[in-house]
Each structure stands twice: as C-alpha cells, then as structure tokens.
Amino acid sequence: MASRPLRIGTRGSPMALRQTAIVRDRLTAAQPELAKTGAVEIVTIRTTGDRVQNRLLAEIGGKGLFAKEIEEALLAGRIDLAVHSLKDLETWLPDGLMIACVPPRDDPRDAFVSRGLSLASVPRGAKVGTASLRRQAQLLRHRRDLSIVPIRGNVNTRLRKMEAGEADALVLALCGLQRLDLSGKATEILPREVMLPAVGQGALAIECRSADEAVRQLLEPLHDPISAACVAAERAMLAALDGSCRTPIAGFAEADGDRLMIEGLLLNEDGSKEIRGRLEGGLGDAAQLGAELGKELRSGAGPDFGLG
C-alpha cells in the first residue's frame, strides 16, 4: 500500500465527510506514516440513498441504500476502507466484507428540535418532521395528536425545511448535531423512555475487505471493544427479529463493567401497540443476548408488527 494512498470511501454529505475526517485524523495520529502528505485519499461516492430524495427510504429498500455503492467499490478494490454511520448498514454484510473497527460510540439519543418548545409542550396537531418509522411510532405513542410529516435530506436541509414552515419541529440524532457543531439547535434531548434509539445510533463503522489484513491492522488502535460489543448485541437482536424496512424497531445496549444490558422495542407503524423487552448478561455474550432478546420480542409479535 506504500506505493499508493490509503483510500477511504464515504458519502458526500456534510455529515459523512465530517465523520470521515474524524476517522482520518485518528488514523493519522495512530499511524504516523499516514500523516505524510498524500498518504490518505478520501473518495466520495454518491449512493442510491443520496440520489433518490423524493421517496421514503422504506419505499425504495431501506437505509442499506446509503452503503450499496460504497460496498461495491470496496469489493471492486477501488477503495480500501469505508466509513459509515453504523445504523445505515444492513444487518448482513456482503460476502467478503466486515466491520473491522467500531470507534468509541457517541451519544446515541435523539434530539427534539423546535422553536423553543419541548415535545410535551408543542401545540396539538403540531407538524413533526421525520422520515424514520421508529421515530414516528414512538412520537405517536406519546402524542397521538401530532401530525408526522416525512422530511428527508441532510441535517442542514431538514433545518431549513423547518424554518420554511414545512414542519414545526424535527427529531434528529443528537450525535449528528454534535458532529456538525449544531448541538445548540436541540431544544430537548429525548430520554430513552420516550425515544429509544435506532440500532447502532451514535456509532461509526469502518468497513473493509475481510481478507485485507494490512488495513485491519491499521484500524486496530481506533477500535473500542465495549462499543463494538454493544452494537453487536443490538445488531444480533435486529437479525433475530428479521423485520422489514417498514417495521419500527429500536434497540440500545450499554455496558457496566463486565455486564451488558440490552433493551429492545418493537412497534406497529402508528405506535398504538408495542412490545418492549430487556435482558442482562455477560459482556462476552453480547451477540447471544441480543439474539435471545430478538427472539423473545418476535415471539410476542402478531401480524400488526410487520414481521415476516
């Protein structure tokens, strides 16, 4: 690899570029040879999820469309690694690819963004913008009077749409606002009891070819085993549920010493029904715990929950 730059693939949105810059800076700090001019190249790739902005992701194939073309570039050898928001990755990766590194996780909670009012105090019938079925279902679970309006686009686009009157409020990932130095826009940080996060929210995933031992070694200093165990539990829960992209699913795991707790939530689309579960066990059994919780949630779900 010394004869050419280390090529990092990413989407071209401000958020994706910021996340990739964070990874690049940590890599160059950990690997001095990568700090030389020209040693690292950032390759922006436009994905299907970026191109199709006039339809909900659930209608066109789900969040995996933010990774499809990037993973194709990895498999074709056009890039050496890719930086993703972990929640955008499919539960099952393409053959030959792996999540080689999960850096320390940022705040996984969601933020309520409005013109100064909290979720509890916005007027009846207020328009809340989100394209997420998970957020929609949980919002309606707590405030059935709200009007949910589908809003897509990057963070700044959504904020502009709110200011233009398309919505009275938004629900956005707090970590995204923080990474873009926009945390001051948050009116309220929603507790997990109100808005359980998406699987993997707050975490980055660095993906590479499974057989590329050199890249895997470069990434080792950036890897956080605790964060990796937590998201592994969440993704195992999601895999066991095997929900469609039209199934509102939330999940969050956290570690306390050598113990891990995972909470999962399954809702129907309008939030009128929910199944919530929680398991605790050893940190080393993270994936097994997640899978057990997913099976438990699935066993209690009827046809209203959209599971196959």
Side-chain angles (χ1 to χ4, degrees), residues 127-208:
K127 296 181 295 182
V128 181
T130 179
S132 161
L133 293 175
R134 172 189 64 86
R135 289 172 177 149
Q136 168 185 298
Q138 291 187 85
L139 284 167
L140 293 173
R141 186 79 178 160
H142 291 277
R143 289 281 308 267
R144 300 210 62 78
D145 61 287
L146 295 176
S147 173
I148 308 299
V149 294
I151 288 185
R152 285 194 57 206
N154 63 45
V155 170
N156 285 312
T157 298
R158 296 185 199 196
L159 290 171
R160 284 195 298 270
K161 288 180 177 180
M162 185 186 78
E163 293 302 325
E166 293 187 34
D168 300 306
L170 304 169
V171 179
L172 300 169
L174 177 59
C175 63
L177 292 172
Q178 292 172 333
R179 289 168 188 162
L180 294 172
D181 297 322
L182 292 170
S183 55
K185 297 285 186 182
T187 309
E188 176 186 12
I189 298 172
L190 298 173
R192 296 207 307 261
E193 297 75 25
V194 173
M195 187 67 64
L196 194 65
V199 165
Q201 186 158 300
L204 297 178
I206 308 178
E207 189 179 24
C208 74

Side-chain angles (χ1 to χ4, degrees), residues 111-126:
F112 191 73
V113 179
S114 72
R115 299 175 183 85
L117 298 175
S118 68
L119 172 59
S121 60
V122 291
R124 289 184 62 82

Side-chain angles (χ1 to χ4, degrees), residues 48-273:
T48 302
D50 297 314
R51 287 197 301 270
V52 182
Q53 288 290 320
N54 60 347
R55 296 174 64 191
L56 294 176
L57 287 173
E59 296 174 352
I60 59 174
K63 285 191 172 183
L65 295 178
F66 284 128
K68 180 175 178 288
E69 285 82 358
I70 296 174
E71 291 180 329
E72 289 172 351
L74 262 177
L75 290 169
R78 297 193 299 273
I79 57 175
D80 302 302
L81 58 98
V83 178
H84 305 277
S85 293
L86 192 142
K87 66 186 179 70
D88 289 344
L89 287 178
E90 295 281 14
T91 313
W92 291 275
L93 301 181
D95 289 343
L97 299 182
M98 66 176 293
I99 297 174
C101 173
V102 177
R105 190 179 202 168
D106 292 327
D107 197 317
R109 293 175 295 175
D110 283 297
F112 191 73
V113 179
S114 72
R115 299 175 183 85
L117 298 175
S118 68
L119 172 59
S121 60
V122 291
R124 289 184 62 82
K127 296 181 295 182
V128 181
T130 179
S132 161
L133 293 175
R134 172 189 64 86
R135 289 172 177 149
Q136 168 185 298
Q138 291 187 85
L139 284 167
L140 293 173
R141 186 79 178 160
H142 291 277
R143 289 281 308 267
R144 300 210 62 78
D145 61 287
L146 295 176
S147 173
I148 308 299
V149 294
I151 288 185
R152 285 194 57 206
N154 63 45
V155 170
N156 285 312
T157 298
R158 296 185 199 196
L159 290 171
R160 284 195 298 270
K161 288 180 177 180
M162 185 186 78
E163 293 302 325
E166 293 187 34
D168 300 306
L170 304 169
V171 179
L172 300 169
L174 177 59
C175 63
L177 292 172
Q178 292 172 333
R179 289 168 188 162
L180 294 172
D181 297 322
L182 292 170
S183 55
K185 297 285 186 182
T187 309
E188 176 186 12
I189 298 172
L190 298 173
R192 296 207 307 261
E193 297 75 25
V194 173
M195 187 67 64
L196 194 65
V199 165
Q201 186 158 300
L204 297 178
I206 308 178
E207 189 179 24
C208 74
R209 291 178 291 278
S210 307
D212 199 334
E213 187 62 33
V215 168
R216 291 168 62 180
Q217 288 181 6
L218 286 176
L219 294 170
E220 280 181 5
L222 278 61
H223 186 65
D224 179 49
I226 302 297
S227 296
C230 290
V231 298
E234 294 166 22
R235 284 171 64 80
M237 180 201 77
L238 190 62
L241 280 167
D242 195 22
S244 75
C245 56
R246 296 205 62 84
T247 306
I249 296 170
F252 177 67
E254 61 183 343
D256 183 7
D258 63 354
R259 304 293 290 173
L260 182 137
M261 183 284 298
I262 179 168
E263 182 176 3
L265 176 64
L266 182 64
L267 304 105
N268 62 349
E269 283 193 42
D270 68 2
S272 60
K273 297 180 181 179

